[in-house]
Amino acid sequence: MITFHSEPFSDEEIYQALHPLVREWFSSRFGEFSPPQRFAIPLIHQGKNCLISAPTGSGKTLAAFLTIISELVALAERGQLENRIYALYISPLKALGNDIERNLNEPLREMASLAGHDLGIRVEVRTGDTPPERRRRMVLKAPHILITTPESFAIALTSKLFSGHFRRVKWAIIDEVHALAENKRGAHLSLSLERLAELTDFTRIGLSATIHPLEEVAKFLVGRRFGRELAEVAGDGADPYRDCVIVDAHFATCSAGELYGNLYELIAKLVEGHQTTLIFTNTRSRTERVVYQLKERRPELVELIGAHHGSLSRELRLGLEERLKRGELKAVVSSTSLELGIDIGYIDLVILLGSPKSVTRALQRVGRSGHKLHDQVKGRAIVTDQDDLLECAVMLKGVKEDRLDRIYIPRNCLDVLAQQVFGILMDGPTYVEDLWELVTRSYSFENLKREDFERVLEYLAGEYVSLEDRRVYAKIWFDKRTGRLGKRGRLARVIYMTNVGTIPDESYVTVKHGERRIGQVEESFLEYLRKGDIFVLGGDTYQFKYARGMTAQVEPAAGKSPTVPSWFSEMLPLSFDLALEIQEFRYKMSQMFEAGQTPEEIKAFIRDYLHLEGKTLESLYNYFEAQHRYSVIPHRYKLLIERYLEEGGGTPREWGTRTDLVKSFAIFHALYGRRVNEALARALAWVIARREDKDVEIMITDHGFALGYEGEVKVMEAFALLLERDLRETLEDALYGTEILKRRFRHCAARALMILKNYMGNRKSVGSQQMKAQILQSAVEELEDERNFPVLKEAYREVLEDAMDIAGAEMILQEIREGKIRLEGRLSPTPSPFALGIILHGRSDLIKAEDRQLFLQRFYQQLFSNS
């Protein structure tokens, strides 16, 4: 049962729950309790599981720890502190754990000063960076509060010498719970928490600034067996996000030089006008570009501006974080690496350079400013094109109205299950029914199919005997007659502890034409390539042929247009919820234009609905007016399919009458986000390729996708066939042999311990792992009922549900079947205004910024002159 708490406790009730020493310390430091503290402290004191959702800087971390510190102080004062772990703190970031250690030791020292003696409460961090001697010290003298990560927690649970300290844990705090729940690290952690529940009953406390829906995350946090308590913390009634507005760089009326001059000058002025500014971009390359431009334009700030992203060394990142905390920097530019709550000191302005692609991510980013209770959040979203403007306008409306995107929690990850079952058996043999009960207590596995569970056990027990030829050996023994099972082999514990975790190893892929080396691309880019895709590397275009291991073979494609931009893998996908909100806005605009409402009436609606003014309002109005004048406005209930004839000239009178064209494009105005569009586009391209024996190019964006082909293709008939088919089966057929499936199979095989990344002190390179994975995948595909083999089945599930959004795609197709969404086909001599972004997306590596901006200016001039 989940209970929502909407009434705060009084100061008297809270102080009554605290030890006098803690009470004295708190009243001298803070004076009053913040909203999350008023709700949560007494509940945690009562031993109830809590999910605390409150803005950044509202005191929720102290709300979680204050009861724990109070009880530890009480034990210390009575001389009853034992040599064991009382509380766990688990976070997704090592840096966040280091902050917490610092932030706990400081109040403990201050309380010791008030008491007049050392309290003896030990706080320690145990992560992959912890030196061996410090870990050995923890075995002898256990920390009373252990700070760790999901991976290190799983290792510690399995350690013969250390695991005994967990037998009477009373509290487990999961920080940034949303950042764990939405990926396989969360699924892994959920099973580790159930392993801990086998040893002891403990209180679970989840912390997050951005959660929706609360019920889903609460279930993830506490699992199936426990009564569920949820502390939902509201603000103080004020809107902390009211100072979040859009600023445009006058993109609609200027040249490319003026556009980027305006952009960087605007950023520089904002930086100069504030104490410390945090600037978020969406890619590492743009982060570096912004830092370079700011330093060029403001030489006096060269030493006061820095970049922070995942490609930089840990030492550089930590050094920059420390300077930021000390207030020594004027600005830091980050891709996504500073979104979560590590301590970076006082930020008085956050700049969003481009759309963050979701309301939740926008809240996380702008929430980094202020950082004190009751502080006003200050954010500026700078946009450089109409699609960005529309996204940011609807997104900021969602921010101000506190409408978060739904969190996606992966379910039934069979590779994680295989790894964790192996780890559970390190504790000793068990019965299969007891193991089933433990696994399905986890929310991530509560609806696991029994046959999938049994296949995982069969895989671990080595029952797929043909795989022994590929050196895949049994890791457990399983007596089906008695239902007992246990670990197998003297090295089992070492294998588990040196291969634990869910984060895949990734590297760069060498690109070659024959034996000639062209360059390299990130592996995450390669996995989205299909045979025949065209991309730019080193200023030249190449067509992808195939990949083996960590080498991709290409052939020159001079004169051909790229289908995938080089930065595609870095881009964040637009959330499905935000996409549908934008579609609803498009519908309202379409209704007004079709009803013949005046420009003044439509602009008044935009002003009231999206809170836009001045040039941003005019620009958005002109964008929609141009689309309405040229074609129709696609929206939530109308999917426009626009056929654009790239070569051959002329405008056919009817759909599908021209067959003499060199290249045609069918542009689907499917504003559903890239994950949904990836599923729809791949499925439709596969249907066309099978039906008409044609190669089909795919260009995918958040706002739609385009299919390119030579000659004539009956796109509408192909779409009708897709509606008749099962989408999952279609996509599984389409994915067979693709790079994304090959790469994800390797990731899943490593998690499931089918491939050992570390063995006998040797670490297998990413290239060796990939070669091994391709051999294993070929062997698995020869098995009877191969798609139900756990590792391959999970690879398909991961691609369809995690990389793509098959649920969202299925919803759209069903709404088309039911007539809720209507298809409308149009032929166009040139792309419509809404289609331009989709067509230009794939070619952005070839089209210079100056040419792109000039093209857009000329396009709109021609459009308006013809009206």
Side-chain angles (χ1 to χ4, degrees):
M1 174 180 172
I2 299 174
T3 305
F4 292 86
H5 288 268
S6 55
E7 292 295 325
F9 292 91
S10 66
D11 283 8
E12 183 181 353
E13 289 174 298
I14 301 171
Y15 277 129
Q16 193 175 358
L18 300 177
H19 185 275
L21 193 60
V22 178
R23 192 184 310 154
E24 181 184 354
W25 171 81
F26 184 88
S27 61
S28 65
R29 281 288 304 270
F30 300 101
E32 64 176 3
F33 294 100
S34 68
Q37 293 159 4
R38 289 188 180 280
F39 284 86
I41 291 172
L43 292 173
I44 297 170
H45 180 69
Q46 295 165 22
K48 293 182 177 177
N49 301 306
C50 291
L51 174 60
I52 306 174
S53 175
T56 304
S58 61
K60 60 181 175 292
T61 306
L62 187 56
F65 271 113
L66 208 56
T67 293
I68 297 169
I69 292 172
S70 179
E71 297 200 23
L72 291 178
V73 167
L75 290 171
E77 290 292 85
R78 295 196 300 266
Q80 295 176 347
L81 264 183
E82 299 177 25
N83 184 33
R84 64 183 177 90
I85 299 169
Y86 287 85
L88 276 170
Y89 170 89
I90 301 170
S91 85
L93 298 176
K94 296 174 187 176
L96 191 51
N98 293 330
D99 287 341
I100 293 298
E101 180 188 29
R102 218 169 18 247
N103 294 339
L104 284 177
N105 280 326
E106 183 181 343
L108 287 173
R109 282 192 296 268
E110 292 171 354
M111 290 178 203
S113 178
L114 288 173
H117 58 83
D118 184 26
L119 296 172
I121 298 172
R122 297 188 293 272
V123 180
E124 293 277 9
V125 176
R126 179 179 174 128
T127 67
D129 295 334
T130 305
E133 61 272 14
R134 193 171 173 182
R135 292 186 204 177
R136 286 192 291 269
R137 191 171 70 234
M138 287 185 223
V139 172
L140 301 174
K141 294 184 73 174
H144 300 117
I145 300 175
L146 176 65
I147 298 167
T148 189
T149 60
E151 294 77 18
S152 292
F153 174 43
I155 292 170
L157 264 179
T158 311
S159 168
K160 269 187 176 181
L161 297 175
F162 194 75
S163 59
H165 292 308
F166 290 113
R167 293 196 176 276
R168 284 186 291 162
V169 166
K170 288 190 66 177
W171 304 276
I173 299 171
I174 316 301
D175 204 352
E176 303 287 0
V177 65
H178 66 280
L180 290 168
E182 63 188 4
N183 54 52
K184 290 190 175 183
R185 294 182 78 194
H188 194 276
L189 174 62
S190 73
L191 288 176
S192 293
L193 291 173
E194 297 308 327
R195 287 181 66 187
L196 181 63
E198 291 289 290
L199 304 175
T200 179
D201 288 329
F202 61 97
T203 300
R204 307 185 190 203
I205 305 161
L207 308 178
S208 178
T210 49
I211 304 177
H212 177 72
L214 287 164
E215 296 93 330
E216 288 293 298
V217 183
K219 292 173 186 176
F220 167 81
L221 176 67
V222 298
R224 180 169 53 85
R225 191 175 68 178
F226 296 88
R228 294 165 182 151
E229 287 289 343
L230 176 66
E232 182 185 13
V233 180
D236 56 5
D239 173 16
Y241 298 102
R242 63 177 176 267
D243 194 12
C244 294
V245 298
I246 292 177
V247 183
D248 76 61
H250 310 308
F251 55 81
T253 58
C254 61
S255 67
E258 291 170 332
L259 170 64
Y260 291 105
N262 292 341
L263 172 67
Y264 295 120
E265 191 59 31
L266 175 59
I267 295 172
K269 286 180 178 178
L270 287 170
V271 168
E272 288 173 331
H274 294 83
Q275 180 181 323
T276 309
T277 300
L278 180 56
I279 304 166
F280 282 106
T281 68
N282 288 337
T283 65
R284 293 187 292 269
S285 56
R286 196 171 197 187
T287 294
E288 294 290 352
R289 198 157 57 243
V290 171
V291 170
Y292 173 79
Q293 288 291 340
L294 288 179
K295 288 182 176 181
E296 283 287 300
R297 291 167 185 276
R298 296 294 189 274
E300 69 276 13
L301 298 180
V302 165
E303 300 300 322
L304 303 177
I305 297 174
H308 191 288
H309 55 73
S311 294
L312 296 172
S313 70
R314 179 172 176 270
E315 290 73 23
L316 282 175
R317 293 199 310 271
L318 288 176
L320 185 132
E321 290 163 19
E322 288 300 320
R323 291 185 66 198
L324 198 51
K325 285 178 207 172
R326 294 194 297 266
E328 296 175 2
L329 295 172
K330 281 289 287 180
V332 170
V333 188
S334 173
S335 51
T336 60
S337 53
L338 288 177
E339 283 179 352
L340 296 184
I342 61 173
D343 183 9
I344 55 174
Y346 179 71
I347 303 291
D348 56 342
L349 174 67
V350 169
I351 295 175
L352 308 178
L353 188 50
S355 166
K357 301 294 182 177
S358 82
V359 175
T360 301
R361 179 165 264 125
L363 277 166
Q364 289 171 353
R365 291 182 175 186
V366 297
R368 300 300 268 151
S369 71
H371 251 235
K372 295 175 186 173
L373 189 60
H374 308 306
D375 268 3
Q376 182 73 33
V377 168
K378 188 173 184 181
R380 296 290 179 268
I382 301 179
V383 298
T384 56
D385 63 50
Q386 287 97 334
D387 288 334
D388 217 24
L389 170 58
L390 178 57
E391 277 185 31
C392 284
V394 177
M395 177 196 69
L396 288 184
K397 177 180 171 67
V399 166
K400 292 177 181 181
E401 296 175 359
D402 199 28
R403 285 185 290 98
L404 305 180
D405 308 281
R406 289 182 64 90
I407 190 172
Y408 164 71
I409 300 176
R411 310 293 290 274
N412 306 320
C413 306
L414 300 182
D415 51 352
V416 172
L417 177 62
Q419 185 184 125
Q420 281 284 41
V421 164
F422 189 47
I424 290 165
L425 296 179
M426 298 303 125
D427 301 331
T430 189
Y431 286 96
V432 68
E433 292 305 322
D434 293 337
L435 182 61
W436 170 256
E437 170 63 21
L438 185 157
V439 166
T440 54
R441 283 203 311 261
S442 158
Y443 179 68
S444 299
F445 294 92
E446 69 172 1
N447 59 2
L448 177 70
K449 291 180 180 178
R450 182 70 185 222
E451 56 264 34
D452 287 333
F453 173 71
E454 291 176 353
R455 287 191 188 102
V456 167
L457 298 184
E458 290 166 358
Y459 150 66
L460 289 171
E463 294 189 19
Y464 293 90
V465 291
S466 63
L467 295 179
E468 287 192 5
D469 293 340
R470 305 300 182 201
R471 299 186 179 180
V472 179
Y473 302 114
K475 295 172 180 63
I476 67 171
W477 55 265
F478 181 19
D479 187 336
K480 291 188 176 181
R481 182 179 60 83
T482 63
R484 277 178 66 80
L485 65 167
K487 67 180 175 68
R488 185 171 180 173
R490 290 180 294 106
L491 294 175
R493 192 178 301 271
V494 174
I495 287 173
Y496 177 78
M497 294 178 69
T498 54
N499 291 277
V500 74
T502 62
I503 302 173
D505 291 343
E506 291 193 322
S507 185
Y508 285 93
V509 176
T510 300
V511 178
K512 287 185 173 182
H513 175 224
E515 292 301 312
R516 185 169 72 90
R517 187 181 186 278
I518 306 296
Q520 60 184 24
V521 295
E522 289 185 337
E523 190 178 8
S524 56
F525 175 75
L526 177 71
E527 75 174 12
Y528 283 99
L529 294 182
R530 299 163 65 250
K531 182 179 179 181
D533 271 341
I534 298 166
F535 63 98
V536 176
L537 185 61
D540 295 319
T541 52
Y542 296 94
Q543 188 167 44
F544 175 66
K545 294 170 64 180
Y546 62 86
R548 288 204 181 101
M550 302 306 287
T551 300
Q553 281 290 339
V554 299
E555 58 185 22
K560 292 187 178 181
S561 299
T563 57
V564 184
S566 60
W567 40 264
F568 183 77
S569 61
E570 281 193 73
M571 286 298 295
L572 301 169
L574 181 68
S575 80
F576 187 48
D577 289 346
L578 180 55
L580 294 185
E581 288 293 328
I582 297 170
Q583 289 275 57
E584 287 288 351
F585 175 76
R586 278 185 170 186
Y587 173 67
K588 294 177 191 298
M589 293 289 284
S590 174
Q591 292 291 95
M592 285 187 287
F593 276 109
E594 289 178 9
Q597 291 188 240
T598 66
E600 290 71 25
E601 289 173 325
I602 298 174
K603 290 175 187 178
F605 165 75
I606 297 172
R607 184 181 298 108
D608 293 340
Y609 191 81
L610 296 180
H611 313 293
L612 296 180
E613 298 286 349
K615 291 181 178 179
T616 52
L617 188 155
E618 288 291 333
S619 179
L620 192 62
Y621 170 80
N622 290 337
Y623 189 36
F624 275 84
E625 195 276 336
Q627 178 69 22
H628 172 70
R629 189 190 318 177
Y630 186 82
S631 180
V632 295
I633 296 174
H635 52 70
R636 179 69 179 87
Y637 312 104
K638 180 187 292 183
L639 174 54
L640 174 63
I641 304 172
E642 179 181 334
R643 187 172 172 201
Y644 158 53
L645 313 176
E646 183 159 89
E647 296 181 28
T651 306
R653 295 182 179 180
E654 296 180 4
W655 184 281
T657 59
R658 285 290 294 273
T659 59
D660 61 328
L661 300 174
V662 175
K663 179 64 65 68
S664 298
F665 285 98
I667 305 165
F668 290 74
H669 290 259
L671 204 167
Y672 305 124
R674 199 173 74 214
R675 291 176 63 230
V676 169
N677 289 342
E678 178 90 18
L680 294 174
R682 279 185 183 263
L684 185 56
W686 185 86
V687 169
I688 291 172
R690 287 292 298 270
R691 182 174 184 268
E692 307 204 20
D693 193 27
K694 284 182 181 290
D695 290 331
V696 182
E697 294 178 3
I698 301 177
M699 288 183 281
I700 299 167
T701 76
D702 286 315
H703 288 234
F705 60 90
L707 303 181
Y709 45 86
E710 294 183 358
E712 170 64 16
V713 167
K714 295 173 181 173
V715 175
M716 300 299 277
E717 290 182 18
F719 203 98
L721 283 175
L722 178 61
L723 290 171
E724 294 172 4
R725 294 178 58 96
D726 179 86
L727 181 61
R728 186 174 289 267
E729 288 181 6
T730 301
L731 280 170
E732 286 184 357
D733 289 341
L735 286 170
Y736 181 81
T738 59
E739 285 305 313
I740 191 169
L741 185 66
K742 292 176 186 176
R743 305 283 151 180
R744 297 304 174 102
F745 179 85
R746 185 193 87 222
H747 297 171
C748 295
R751 292 189 198 100
L753 308 177
M754 195 179 188
I755 295 173
L756 299 181
K757 296 186 287 188
N758 294 286
Y759 185 68
M760 301 287 285
N762 297 315
R763 183 164 185 83
K764 195 183 291 286
S765 70
V766 176
S768 297
Q769 289 179 45
Q770 187 60 42
M771 291 299 292
K772 174 80 170 177
Q774 289 179 212
I775 293 169
L776 290 176
Q777 187 176 345
S778 297
V780 166
E781 286 171 347
E782 293 175 4
L783 296 173
E784 185 178 348
D785 194 21
E786 77 282 359
R787 287 190 185 175
N788 277 318
F789 179 75
V791 178
L792 185 58
K793 184 172 185 175
E794 176 56 26
Y796 276 110
R797 189 213 63 80
E798 182 177 316
V799 175
L800 295 178
E801 298 179 14
D802 300 352
M804 300 179 194
D805 180 3
I806 190 172
E810 286 175 330
M811 185 189 104
I812 297 303
L813 292 180
Q814 185 58 29
E815 289 184 357
I816 294 171
R817 293 185 191 105
E818 294 170 356
K820 183 178 178 181
I821 297 175
R822 184 168 60 88
L823 302 182
E824 181 169 331
R826 292 259 177 151
L827 281 164
S828 306
T830 59
S832 70
F834 282 13
L836 278 175
I838 301 170
I839 287 292
L840 292 176
H841 173 84
R843 304 171 184 190
S844 58
D845 285 329
L846 277 188
I847 301 174
K848 294 180 181 178
E850 292 82 358
D851 296 336
R852 184 181 192 277
Q853 194 67 10
L854 187 60
F855 172 80
L856 290 173
Q857 284 181 300
R858 287 177 177 170
F859 175 84
Y860 282 108
Q861 287 168 4
Q862 182 179 2
L863 193 70
F864 295 142
S865 66
N866 292 335
S867 62

